Amino acid sequence: MKRFLNLTRQSRQQGWWHAYGDALPDWFRAYVGFESDAAKIETYQCELVPGLLQTEAYARHVIRAMNPTESTEEVERRVALRMDRQQILDRHEPPQLWAIIGEAVIRRPVGGSQNMAEQLRHLAAMADERPNVTIQVLPFSAGAHAAMGASFSILSFNDIPGSVAYSEATTSSIYSERPHEIARHEDAFHRLMASSVQPERSIAWLREVAEEYSP
């Protein structure tokens, strides 16, 4: 736990995200710092598109739905923060991002059909055009799997040994760094990879479902 606390302190030092103030909850600040420093990010999302791969319109609808009492200004600050987080994928040495999403993610029409079609096309383009981005879809037909109802991310770094696993609830988060905990998360992720549609087929599937949403 001592190493994690040191990492947390480092991640909070003069980060660009501090400018967003209350738009970034305290429990999420460490994650944004880790994400900015990560060399590899493995993430499984059962309910929504990973933040690093969301379109602005999709992000806006998700954030509004999850924060129904916030003002338009507050929602827009959260949207801007999410878009700024995505800049790590454009830097000279971007992290390797491997994202597995449940089929429910592509079947839930967040923001309506047009916005969803644009989001799925964006996912397909990111996976097809960027060598550092891999996307797989976990189909309903896979049945029970290693991470039922539990989204999580594993972040690894070039300059720090070990990894950090992250999972999130509505108003809190859990960070794990013990080797046996990381091993459990890695094993679950590898099993999800095996149960998911292969990357090339996932790209084609995303485009097919995008056409289903198109008017």
Side-chain angles (χ1 to χ4, degrees), residues 58 61 104-117 213:
Y58 182 98
H61 283 283
V105 175
I106 68 175
R107 296 298 182 185
R108 188 185 307 282
V110 174
S113 295
Q114 181 175 346
N115 284 332
M116 199 62 196
Y213 280 114

Side-chain angles (χ1 to χ4, degrees), residues 6-7 14 20 26 37 52 58 91 110 114 151 170 177 181 188 203 210:
N6 287 337
L7 280 171
Q14 302 301 319
Y20 285 94
D26 288 340
D37 294 337
L52 291 178
Y58 182 98
R91 66 192 185 196
V110 174
Q114 181 175 346
S151 298
T170 304
E177 65 159 347
E181 294 172 339
I203 292 172

Side-chain angles (χ1 to χ4, degrees), residues 34-83:
F34 292 149
E35 183 181 75
S36 294
D37 294 337
K40 181 174 70 172
I41 302 170
E42 299 167 312
T43 185
Y44 165 65
Q45 296 293 328
C46 59
E47 280 290 320
L48 74 166
V49 173
L52 291 178
L53 298 172
Q54 292 179 7
T55 64
E56 184 173 335
Y58 182 98
R60 182 171 291 109
H61 283 283
V62 167
I63 291 170
R64 167 53 70 196
M66 296 179 68
N67 302 275
T69 63
E70 289 195 347
S71 68
T72 299
E73 181 181 357
E74 290 170 325
V75 169
E76 289 304 313
R77 282 178 61 78
R78 291 184 186 272
V79 172
L81 169 63
R82 190 158 301 181
M83 294 300 101

Side-chain angles (χ1 to χ4, degrees), residues 1-8 30-31 33-35 37-43 96 152-167 174-187 189-190:
M1 185 59 67
K2 182 178 179 181
R3 184 173 69 83
F4 173 74
L5 292 176
N6 287 337
L7 280 171
T8 302
Y31 179 82
F34 292 149
E35 183 181 75
D37 294 337
K40 181 174 70 172
I41 302 170
E42 299 167 312
T43 185
Q96 294 294 318
F152 64 91
S153 298
I154 307 166
L155 301 96
S156 304
F157 313 90
N158 283 331
D159 57 343
I160 301 172
S163 302
V164 173
Y166 171 84
S167 57
I174 299 173
Y175 296 88
S176 304
E177 65 159 347
R178 295 183 178 89
H180 73 277
E181 294 172 339
I182 298 300
R184 286 286 299 274
H185 283 86
E186 288 282 9
D187 179 69
F189 194 80
H190 291 155

